[in-house]
Amino acid sequence: MKKIINDPANVVAESLRGLAAAHADILRVQYDPDVVVRAGAPVAGKVAVISGGGSGHEPLHGGFVGHGMLAAAVPGAVFTSPTPDAVQAAVTATTGEAGALLIVKNYTGDVLNFETAAELAAAEGLEVRSVVIDDDVAVKDSTYTAGRRGVGGTVLLEKLTGAAAERGDSLDAVTALAQKVIGQVRSIGVALTAPTVPHAGTPSFDLEESEIEFGIGIHGEPGRERIPLEPADALVARMVEAVVEDLPFASGDRVLLFTNSMGGTPLVELYLAHGIAERLLADRGIVVERRLVGPYITSLEMQGMSLTLLKLDDELTELWDAPVNTAALRWGL
């Protein structure tokens, strides 16, 4: 194992110190328990959108704390859900009379721990709602999950609900918007190589040089099938078909296309794949109106990619375009 680390047990804490140093104008970090919160005081009268999960998926979630997106993010150990007390600390630090919305990826530990934290916060007199995102079309059940996994759609959900909260929408309205987005977003991922968790020291699974895992999860969970490596045209076509046929998306639909690196895939390959996806969607009459390309929800150094499609309307497009200022997403300010 070759990694730029010291003690594997301290990777997350040391990374958070670096995040705080690099982006002190946007965020600050509270330790023990670890919570990333917006710099300055909580925004009075506005819903606090809070998310979190295991580390190793950076910039998710801490990189999305800031104006127009998250009020706080709760990082767990690598590929491990944060504890309820950490989530509760995030709620307490950022939530006022307008309440909080917790965005939870559909992994068993996350769902249970965020649910417990919401109950603890309610006992403090805070109004807290939760939504669970499950946009992965690859498998219904897998390691860590009952039902579909929460993957790339999480990034889009955090941006859109954060924009709604920023403009002053009520907790009911932000929650309803979140449910709308969850119903209209779908994702699929593939892996060329496995990630190596620092404290494990060995790859999470084995792949031959001539194989890829189709439908991979963000923790290295198995996908739909293991298939021979194929040219980009064929692979992206397979991914587009899996996503489009699931909702299904249809000719005339307006969409946001998110082409994501799993951490080890370079941009030269990612843009190549994105171009193919745009062409294939155009061939189906699906109109790509907004785009996001880059490593925004990763799996350590895994070589691979994911495609996410969100069905747009005027409201969602306006919220996507709204100003955002975080470590990983910035526009309009």
Side-chain angles (χ1 to χ4, degrees):
M1 179 181 73
K2 293 181 180 179
K3 291 184 178 290
I4 303 173
I5 62 173
N6 295 309
D7 183 344
N10 297 330
V11 166
V12 173
E14 292 188 65
S15 178
L16 288 172
R17 283 196 286 272
L19 177 70
H23 302 287
D25 59 323
I26 296 173
L27 56 83
R28 58 187 174 86
V29 178
Q30 301 176 181
Y31 300 95
D32 194 26
D34 297 337
V35 178
V36 183
V37 298
R38 285 196 199 183
V43 182
K46 293 186 179 181
V47 172
V49 180
I50 300 167
S51 192
S55 296
H57 307 301
E58 288 74 17
L60 194 81
H61 298 272
F64 300 133
V65 171
H67 178 90
M69 212 159 174
L70 297 179
V74 194
V78 174
F79 291 0
T80 303
S81 173
T83 57
D85 66 306
V87 180
Q88 183 188 14
V91 175
T92 300
T94 59
T95 304
E97 292 182 359
L101 176 67
L102 305 183
I103 293 177
V104 188
K105 300 188 303 300
N106 191 32
Y107 296 95
T108 302
D110 287 12
V111 172
L112 291 174
N113 289 347
F114 274 78
E115 182 179 287
T116 300
E119 293 172 355
L120 293 171
E124 295 180 358
L126 300 173
E127 188 174 7
V128 180
R129 309 275 177 81
S130 298
V131 294
V132 177
I133 182 164
D134 55 354
D135 55 306
D136 187 4
V137 306
V139 291
K140 180 180 178 181
D141 299 290
S142 71
T143 309
Y144 304 106
T145 62
R148 295 185 172 192
R149 304 174 289 216
V151 288
T154 310
V155 177
L156 312 187
L157 179 61
E158 290 179 0
K159 168 63 178 80
L160 295 164
T161 53
E166 200 69 59
R167 73 182 179 186
D169 287 13
S170 68
L171 182 56
D172 285 343
V174 176
T175 303
L177 175 81
Q179 297 291 8
K180 174 182 173 179
V181 172
I182 290 168
Q184 296 181 189
V185 66
R186 299 291 188 273
S187 301
I188 190 78
V190 298
L192 282 65
T193 63
T196 299
V197 176
H199 66 261
T202 57
S204 299
F205 56 89
D206 295 318
L207 271 178
E208 299 294 333
E209 283 295 316
S210 60
E211 293 180 322
I212 63 174
E213 187 79 19
F214 185 78
I216 196 73
I218 58 173
H219 305 93
E221 309 97 316
R224 282 185 179 179
E225 56 182 332
R226 191 161 291 189
I227 62 175
L229 181 64
E230 55 190 8
D233 281 331
L235 178 60
V236 176
R238 187 189 295 267
M239 297 175 74
V240 167
E241 181 177 12
V243 172
V244 168
E245 297 302 323
D246 188 88
L247 190 59
F249 294 85
S251 179
D253 281 346
R254 304 155 54 195
V255 300
L256 186 159
L257 170 61
F258 171 30
T259 306
N260 174 67
S261 166
M262 300 303 294
T265 299
L267 282 172
V268 65
E269 296 176 27
L270 204 63
Y271 279 118
L272 184 154
H274 181 85
I276 295 169
E278 288 233 13
R279 172 173 54 80
L280 293 171
L281 291 169
D283 289 346
R284 292 172 176 262
I286 297 172
V287 181
V288 180
E289 289 194 349
R290 295 294 184 273
R291 301 147 179 92
L292 183 66
V293 182
Y296 292 105
I297 175 170
T298 62
S299 182
L300 294 170
E301 79 282 27
M302 179 193 286
Q303 285 183 274
M305 60 173 289
S306 61
L307 291 180
T308 298
L309 274 186
L310 169 68
K311 187 178 292 190
L312 290 174
D313 56 25
D314 289 345
E315 179 188 32
L316 295 184
T317 303
E318 178 183 344
L319 290 169
W320 181 257
D321 290 344
V324 60
N325 185 32
T326 69
L329 283 185
R330 298 188 188 193
W331 60 71
L333 287 173

